[in-house]
Amino acid sequence: MEMQMIDGIRWLARTHRWGLELGLWAVGIGLVSSLPCVAGYLAVGPERRFMGFAFNVSDHVQYFAWWRAFQQGFLAPNLLAPEPTPATYFNLLWWLLAHVSRITGLGYEAIYQILRALSIWLAVAVLGLLYRRVAPTVSQARAMLAMAVLGSGFAWLHPVVKRLQGWLPFPSLMAPYVPSIAEPNTFFSAIAYPHFLLALASIAAILLLAFEGMTGGRWRASLGAGLLALSLSLHHTYDLLTVGAVLGGWLLWRMMTHRSLPWTEGAHAALVLGMAAPGALYMAWLTRQDPTWREVLAQFVNAGVFTPPPLQLLLLLGLPFLLALVGLGDPRRWRAWTPVEAWMGVWFLVHLPLAYLPLSFQIHLLNGWQVPIAYWAVRGVERIVRRRPALTFSRGMRWALILSLPANLYLLGWRILDLSRGQPPYSLHRDEVAALDWVAAHGCADGVVMAPEPVGAFVPMWTGCRAFLAHWTGTLRFFERREQVRAFYSPAMEEPARRALIERYGITRVIIGADGASLEGIPWLIPVFQRPRAAVFVVQMAREGASPGGAP
């Protein structure tokens, strides 16, 4: 019996070796990228609770506000602003996750970790299939996958330069946000942004199927690409620009090299993009015609995050990008590219102009660039090896990967150290969490919840109520709201001004957080929940015989 099991394992390893390798890659990336969250859960003491996110809490609470809203209906209102808004927003990913929660009863933390695991598995699987298709050998495909998943730039220079600036007048090499740009960094996306990985897998799968359809006349492949493009348009619409640019670039290259219009391939591309059109048109309508979502998109600039200038972009992309330039070689020889080389070459080249389109979300268009970068980086190592007979391909790739790892090691260590501190917004005091639980259980009388910014960010996803201040794009007139919250909790604010703010925005619940603010002595704030470091007040003021929110 044991021999039969051993023989079965050997047979499985022989016949499904590439699939097993991909599985090991997914498990390894999943485990290592989970270390920051593990550190966050282990670091908090009995008084605090880790909130489950490894990076950028503000964006994740926005996504989970949608998740909460989708549990109540097919379309979501904007819970991140005090203004009441109609339910007009749809996002396929968070709608599906909301229904998984409804069916299974799983909370947001479990859903988030399931999303992380699924995204990592899908990204590794799709990239593995793609590189196995374009690489002549398994060893080359393995090298491309490793570079795409593990490769990173020169972000490690940022902390080094900061240290040097303590002793020398050393200029900064990059803006503080540049090292944490995750879109072209697969490993950091696995740590911090699982939906970026899902979008990456979608882009790669769409373009792989579209390439098979256009070059092989396989309409089923193009139909599959179109269905995936439709789903992408409904959960990360920006990335359709990348898909369209690559398909358009491919058709242009075919037209230039064959000196004729590629009508059949154009029909395949039209099918793919045409199937995605309904989702794209819906999002275009939403962000142009709906006043709430038009303002939400306009506030994207609040982050102050754009594609970095070219030199800083080079530092972000680092050694893999430099090796890719070596792999591309002399542009005069590009006309002799094979179809696979042309496909990967076009994909590589279109990303640079995409990244600098005059759009507020331009930085998102870096996502997917790591796929052709990794392909051409391996080709670059091959060119170097051919020029240096003493250097083997395996040794060259080993050194390329080792020199591409430091930035990701820095990012991993940074997140572990940061989350080990157990500080807001990554953790809240348990009294603050209990206050959120109270509001979730008792509701907000169809009104608005006022809370300090670190707590208020969690109000929509935790309670299903509208928050006065929650997110830098979702909260309309965000900076004005932030100043109003600071003033509201300040002892310098007069009682009539507080009352006017409450009445103007229909605030029915007020949360006091662990920051020590005090609102005692205000007669129309009725305490209904009190802990040493947090409290909840119900607004109950006489207003023509009514009140905006009575005690339950």
Side-chain angles (χ1 to χ4, degrees), residues 53-115:
F53 304 120
F55 188 60
N56 199 342
V57 168
S58 62
D59 277 2
H60 285 90
V61 296
Q62 177 192 36
Y63 308 141
F64 277 95
W66 303 339
W67 164 83
R68 179 70 183 234
F70 285 133
Q71 294 181 50
Q72 307 302 318
F74 183 73
L75 298 174
N78 182 20
L79 299 177
L80 301 160
E83 296 86 356
T85 59
T88 56
Y89 180 71
F90 180 77
N91 185 291
L92 180 61
L93 172 61
W94 298 100
W95 181 86
L96 289 172
L97 293 175
H99 282 269
V100 170
S101 289
R102 287 190 63 186
I103 294 168
T104 63
L106 294 174
Y108 82 93
E109 288 171 290
I111 289 295
Y112 181 65
Q113 294 303 325
I114 289 171
L115 175 62

Side-chain angles (χ1 to χ4, degrees), residues 257-288:
T257 55
H258 290 69
R259 299 189 178 183
S260 62
L261 292 174
W263 292 107
T264 302
E265 294 174 30
H268 283 268
L271 173 64
V272 174
L273 296 177
M275 291 182 68
L281 291 173
Y282 158 71
M283 292 304 299
W285 169 84
L286 185 70
T287 54
R288 284 167 174 77

Side-chain angles (χ1 to χ4, degrees), residues 75 172 196 232 488 527 551:
L75 298 174
S172 296
F196 283 180
L232 180 63
F488 184 86

Side-chain angles (χ1 to χ4, degrees), residues 283-489:
M283 292 304 299
W285 169 84
L286 185 70
T287 54
R288 284 167 174 77
Q289 300 302 318
D290 186 289
T292 298
W293 294 100
R294 182 171 62 244
E295 188 170 348
V296 166
L297 181 63
Q299 290 195 140
F300 209 93
V301 297
N302 287 350
V305 176
F306 300 94
T307 301
L311 178 58
Q312 296 185 38
L313 180 62
L314 176 62
L315 293 174
L316 172 67
L317 300 175
L319 182 61
F321 184 79
L322 296 176
L323 289 172
L325 294 179
V326 175
L328 283 166
D330 188 345
R332 292 173 296 181
R333 298 182 180 178
W334 292 353
R335 290 180 64 88
W337 273 343
T338 66
V340 164
E341 289 172 331
W343 175 43
M344 300 306 290
V346 166
W347 190 347
F348 179 93
L349 293 171
V350 299
H351 264 285
L352 186 60
L354 275 178
Y356 288 106
L357 287 177
L359 300 169
S360 59
F361 54 83
Q362 61 179 204
I363 196 169
H364 285 319
L365 302 179
L366 294 172
N367 195 11
W369 205 355
Q370 61 265 55
V371 179
I373 285 176
Y375 172 87
W376 287 110
V378 172
R379 296 292 299 272
V381 171
E382 291 174 341
R383 289 174 65 92
I384 294 171
V385 167
R386 284 198 296 268
R387 295 172 184 174
R388 296 177 176 271
L391 184 65
T392 63
F393 174 73
S394 60
R395 181 177 296 178
M397 275 307 310
R398 194 178 302 120
W399 277 108
L401 287 169
I402 289 172
L403 295 175
S404 298
L405 272 176
N408 275 336
L409 294 176
Y410 155 65
L411 292 169
L412 177 66
W414 167 51
R415 296 319 307 145
I416 291 173
L417 179 63
D418 195 22
L419 297 181
S420 296
R421 297 188 177 106
Q423 295 300 310
Y426 298 101
S427 73
L428 295 181
H429 197 282
R430 291 192 179 273
D431 288 354
E432 293 173 320
V433 176
L436 289 170
D437 286 336
W438 189 94
V439 176
H442 295 86
C444 46
D446 197 30
V448 176
V449 178
M450 168 73 79
E453 187 173 353
V455 181
F458 288 91
V459 163
M461 61 167 280
W462 207 280
T463 70
C465 297
R466 301 198 310 278
F468 187 82
L469 176 68
H471 186 257
W472 52 272
T473 60
T475 301
L476 308 184
R477 299 189 294 284
F478 172 76
F479 293 112
E480 177 186 342
R481 297 285 179 266
R482 174 185 275 177
E483 291 305 315
Q484 288 173 320
V485 167
R486 289 172 179 169
F488 184 86
Y489 288 100

